[in-house]
């Protein structure tokens, strides 16, 4: 059984590790999942950010956008609006790739899949599309999943030709202010991957593991000893600490 990207403090990984003497398994860190815990107000977050350039830019770009004639933020969460929101989102998604001289690999079958998934999630209050708009034009969007505690930033898109300075940056700032902190959530989860833009917002990460688990046969128990012994010894010498605070590689002002 091959399990990919299990959170280090996730229930499935911990359940397998509790059975380490019966289940042969190997594991290794594959990537990280950056996340931003909410510990105060939006102003507290900005005041505590290490980069003065970041603080200056977030205030300046956000103010500039909000003062633009016709500029506004639009939230789409109602099930009846989700199909249209998916189409609007993927237009921006493709625009971003086009500006990079690339082509998006998203086809109609994947769009149909997301129409189905997003509709089901919307019926349970677990999906959110947040658009930046100027007049009747979409300039940026985040497609996210939400629950009472966490917003999961699934995908983003923006129109580089919109004339708005750093529209994706402005969008994330307003989401953090109004839909994460403003709606009382505890965390903004950037999902897996150590992309540089995530490091602009947080240095907190969870490690993600891949596990290879073998069947608990007699041979499997022998392999448990051979393959799992290093992890047992490691845990005896240095027990797991849970969520890590180590920063990851990445740029950003």
């Amino acid at each position: 059984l091959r399990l990919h990207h299990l959170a280090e403090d996730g229930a499935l990984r911990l359940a397998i590790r509790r059975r380490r003497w019966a289940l042969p398994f190997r594991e290794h860190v594959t990537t990280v999942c950056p996340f931003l815990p909410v510990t105060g107000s939006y102003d507290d977050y900005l005041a505590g950010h290490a980069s003065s350039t970041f603080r200056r830019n977030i205030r300046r770009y956000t103010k500039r956008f909000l003062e633009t004639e016709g500029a506004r933020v639009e939230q789409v969460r109602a099930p009846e609006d989700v199909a249209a929101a998916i189409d609007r989102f993927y237009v921006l998604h493709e625009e971003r790739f086009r500006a990079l001289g690339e082509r998006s690999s998203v086809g109609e079958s994947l769009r149909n899949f997301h129409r189905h998934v997003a509709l089901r999630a919307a019926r349970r209050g677990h999906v959110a599309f947040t658009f930046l708009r100027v007049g009747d034009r979409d300039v940026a969007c985040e497609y996210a999943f939400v629950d009472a505690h966490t917003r999961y930033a699934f995908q983003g898109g923006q129109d580089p030709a919109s004339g708005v300075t750093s529209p994706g940056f402005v969008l994330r700032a307003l989401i953090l202010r109004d839909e994460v902190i403003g709606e009382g959530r505890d965390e903004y989860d950037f999902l897996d991957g150590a992309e540089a833009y995530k490091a602009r917002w947080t240095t907190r990460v969870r490690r993600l593991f891949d596990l290879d688990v073998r069947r608990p046969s007699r041979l499997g128990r022998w392999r448990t000893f051979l393959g799992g012994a290093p992890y047992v010894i490691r845990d005896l010498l240095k027990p797991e600490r849970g969520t890590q605070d180590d920063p990851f590689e990445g740029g950003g002002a």
Side-chain angles (χ1 to χ4, degrees):
L1 180 63
R2 292 183 175 177
L3 302 170
H4 296 283
H5 288 191
L6 299 189
E8 61 184 298
D9 55 356
L12 182 55
R13 176 174 178 259
L14 296 179
I16 291 170
R17 291 172 60 79
R18 281 195 296 269
R19 292 177 53 82
R20 63 167 63 92
W21 298 109
L23 291 174
F25 74 92
R26 297 177 184 270
E27 66 173 11
H28 59 279
V29 178
T30 52
T31 185
V32 294
C33 179
F35 70 102
L36 175 60
V38 175
T39 57
S41 68
Y42 180 67
D43 288 336
D44 291 335
Y45 166 73
L46 293 182
H49 199 284
S51 170
S52 60
T53 302
F54 178 91
R55 296 194 297 270
R56 183 169 58 251
N57 285 345
I58 202 171
R59 290 189 175 104
R60 181 173 60 191
Y61 296 161
T62 301
K63 183 174 184 290
R64 183 182 301 172
F65 171 76
L66 294 175
E67 290 177 347
T68 301
E69 184 177 357
R72 67 188 188 280
V73 180
E74 178 187 340
Q75 298 177 5
V76 177
R77 300 187 184 184
E80 60 270 21
D81 299 325
V82 160
I86 283 284
D87 292 336
R88 291 167 59 190
F89 166 75
Y90 276 117
V91 169
L92 293 171
H93 185 71
E94 291 171 356
E95 288 293 336
R96 182 171 66 88
F97 274 91
R98 190 174 295 114
L100 296 172
E102 302 174 4
R103 183 176 179 180
S104 170
S105 60
V106 176
E108 190 60 26
S109 62
L110 186 57
R111 291 191 189 203
N112 285 333
F113 169 79
H114 278 287
R115 290 187 187 103
H116 177 73
V117 169
L119 177 59
R120 288 176 64 91
R123 287 171 177 162
R124 293 162 174 79
H126 291 323
V127 75
F129 292 87
T130 305
F131 291 88
L132 285 192
R133 307 203 75 198
V134 176
D136 59 356
R137 181 178 183 177
D138 295 328
V139 299
C141 177
E142 182 180 272
Y143 172 16
F145 295 92
V146 297
D147 59 31
H149 303 287
T150 305
R151 182 181 177 104
Y152 304 89
F154 179 65
Q155 273 189 327
Q158 60 182 332
D159 180 1
S162 66
V164 175
T165 304
S166 300
F169 183 68
V170 172
L171 175 62
R172 181 156 284 115
L174 294 175
I175 287 172
L176 175 60
R177 186 190 73 181
D178 299 334
E179 299 185 49
V180 179
I181 297 174
E183 294 183 4
R185 292 191 169 86
D186 303 317
E187 188 175 300
Y188 196 2
D189 191 319
F190 293 95
L191 302 186
D192 66 290
E195 293 88 348
Y197 78 87
K198 298 177 183 180
R200 303 173 74 181
W201 298 91
T202 184
T203 57
R204 297 289 298 276
V205 300
R206 294 184 180 93
R207 296 178 300 169
L208 300 183
F209 289 78
D210 281 3
L211 272 67
D212 291 340
V213 187
R214 300 179 183 275
R215 67 176 66 245
S217 61
R218 180 176 298 177
L219 179 60
R221 290 187 177 89
W222 175 244
R223 286 176 172 170
T224 299
F225 176 76
L226 294 179
Y231 306 113
V232 174
I233 294 170
R234 180 197 64 189
D235 292 343
L236 291 173
L237 296 176
K238 186 177 181 181
E240 293 250 337
R241 295 182 300 154
T243 299
Q244 304 296 304
D245 294 337
D246 299 334
F248 57 95
E249 291 291 332

